[in-house]
Amino acid sequence: MRRQWKRVFGAVMCGVFAVGSLAGCSGKNQESALRNGIETIRGAKSYEVNMELNEDILLSYGDEGDMTVTRLLSDVRGIVFTDPVKVKIIDKSEATYRETNIVQEERYIQKEGDDYFLYTGEEDLWGKTRCGGLDEALEEAGMMMKDILPENLSRLKYTQKEDQEEAGIKYHVFEYSFSGGSLKELCERMGILPDQDEYRKNEEKYQKYVEDILNGAGTVTMTIWVDPDEERIYKIVCPLTDLLNTAYAAAEQDTIKESGGTGDKDEDNVDLEIKDCNLTIRYSNINSAEDFDIPEKVLKAEETKEESEE
């Protein structure tokens, strides 16, 4: 689960490289602010992004229906510079079950000559991995080099919601709905769908898995808040409760069947439910992000050599 949300955040962080999918909007003033806001991010030399995710998980098991509730909070902050490329990620996660455990990690990506390097580790123990490109570096960091906004967003219907005010600023709000093919693309960009490579020997099984998720989830909404004065995207909000419940149910049945069970929750006495899950992404300091230097102790990390496969 933790790796999954790193991939989601990676998709968001890379919006500056791939976003621009709303260019098909008409010329209305409010839509122009949205288009210009995306173009601003697209051409930014630097920006900061913050992903906040909260998730309440209810797990029941056993003949007596024993239950545990775990609350997960994730606060991931990224500083992105595009020329030259360098990225700093501060990932703070909090899990509460009886007691609270907090984990904070830092990761860096930097282009050195023609190569991209990913730095991971903690304290004085760091590793350096050479990657074939930025896409690979982000993937190795548990991320995707794709924007969270699907390519076909400009062709999707949206609803102009009432303006919303936050911290004294009034924002235009656009709500998009995803279902069928557009929902599949959104799930792929978020890393919610399984890797198709894992199903190479059983394409039918993969398609059934995806179909179960899309049919079960129905429609997922995403709202985009735009500052009309500065013409910039302020935040993206996406409720994910129903979508993740559907994805977990499909994965759970698949796992139970593979382990010899029936996939029937009543018989196998396992039930996992997401009680609440919301994803919020905020952009700030576009073209004025706080500069940073990768610590010397990180840069001194020895490159990890891949072992040859026999």
Side-chain angles (χ1 to χ4, degrees):
M1 183 63 197
R2 183 174 174 80
R3 179 177 176 84
Q4 177 189 58
W5 289 117
K6 288 179 183 178
R7 295 181 66 193
V8 173
F9 182 65
V12 177
M13 281 186 54
C14 296
V16 71
F17 300 99
V19 79
S21 56
L22 294 181
C25 295
S26 65
K28 296 180 181 179
N29 290 337
Q30 292 176 329
E31 292 171 343
S32 295
L34 178 57
R35 288 201 311 276
N36 293 338
I38 289 179
E39 288 300 321
T40 297
I41 295 178
R42 183 182 181 185
K45 298 298 183 182
S46 68
Y47 68 102
E48 297 177 26
V49 60
N50 173 225
M51 182 195 80
E52 295 177 352
L53 178 86
N54 65 73
E55 183 176 12
D56 290 335
I57 302 175
L58 173 64
L59 178 65
S60 61
Y61 53 91
D63 295 333
E64 301 300 324
D66 296 329
M67 294 186 295
T68 62
V69 178
T70 300
R71 181 169 180 78
L72 304 178
L73 300 175
S74 181
D75 183 356
V76 187
R77 299 177 183 272
I79 304 175
V80 181
F81 284 82
T82 63
D83 186 20
V85 172
K86 64 175 182 177
V87 180
K88 178 180 180 180
I89 306 159
I90 302 175
D91 181 354
K92 182 179 180 181
S93 298
E94 180 178 312
T96 302
Y97 168 62
R98 294 182 179 174
E99 61 181 29
T100 298
N101 295 306
I102 299 176
V103 177
Q104 182 165 307
E105 300 176 353
E106 287 190 12
R107 299 183 296 280
Y108 298 90
I109 295 173
Q110 179 171 259
K111 185 177 182 181
E112 301 172 14
D114 294 329
D115 297 315
Y116 290 85
F117 289 92
L118 167 67
Y119 295 88
T120 58
E122 59 182 354
E123 299 296 335
D124 295 324
L125 184 61
W126 288 83
K128 176 180 180 180
T129 304
R130 183 189 302 268
C131 302
L134 182 59
D135 289 18
E136 184 180 331
L138 290 163
E139 183 177 355
E140 288 294 326
M143 303 176 180
M144 299 180 299
M145 177 50 185
K146 290 183 178 178
D147 181 24
I148 196 173
L149 302 176
E151 298 284 354
N152 64 354
L153 190 59
S154 62
R155 300 191 298 273
L156 298 179
K157 293 182 179 180
Y158 66 85
T159 301
Q160 180 83 44
K161 311 296 287 187
E162 290 187 6
D163 288 356
Q164 297 292 323
E165 186 172 324
E166 191 170 294
I169 300 176
K170 185 171 289 187
Y171 297 94
H172 296 327
V173 179
F174 301 83
E175 181 180 89
Y176 285 82
S177 298
F178 299 85
S179 61
S182 62
L183 179 56
K184 179 181 178 182
E185 185 179 354
L186 181 66
C187 290
E188 288 173 342
R189 290 171 179 273
M190 285 187 167
I192 292 175
L193 295 184
D195 187 348
Q196 192 167 2
D197 290 343
E198 299 176 3
Y199 290 81
R200 286 186 182 278
K201 296 181 180 180
N202 196 334
E203 176 68 19
E204 183 178 347
K205 179 181 178 181
Y206 176 79
Q207 295 301 333
K208 177 63 167 59
Y209 188 93
V210 173
E211 183 180 336
D212 287 346
I213 293 177
L214 299 182
N215 290 340
T219 300
V220 174
T221 62
M222 174 191 291
T223 56
I224 303 175
W225 292 41
V226 180
D227 185 331
D229 295 328
E230 296 189 8
E231 293 192 331
R232 67 177 180 89
I233 294 179
Y234 167 56
K235 71 177 179 179
I236 298 173
V237 180
C238 192
L240 296 173
T241 306
D242 293 340
L243 177 60
L244 287 184
N245 272 322
T246 303
Y248 276 124
E252 182 182 46
Q253 289 194 5
D254 190 41
T255 300
I256 291 174
K257 288 180 180 178
E258 286 190 354
S259 63
T262 64
D264 187 319
K265 293 181 180 179
D266 292 334
E267 179 177 331
D268 294 290
N269 298 317
V270 177
D271 189 14
L272 184 150
E273 180 182 359
I274 308 299
K275 301 298 293 184
D276 185 50
C277 183
N278 295 283
L279 174 68
T280 302
I281 304 111
R282 292 181 174 84
Y283 294 94
S284 62
N285 297 329
I286 299 173
N287 287 319
S288 60
E290 181 180 356
D291 200 1
F292 66 91
D293 293 318
I294 300 179
E296 191 66 27
K297 64 181 180 180
V298 175
L299 294 174
K300 288 182 178 179
E302 294 186 4
E303 183 176 346
T304 302
K305 302 295 184 181
E306 294 185 359
E307 297 183 0
S308 59
E309 297 182 0
E310 297 183 356

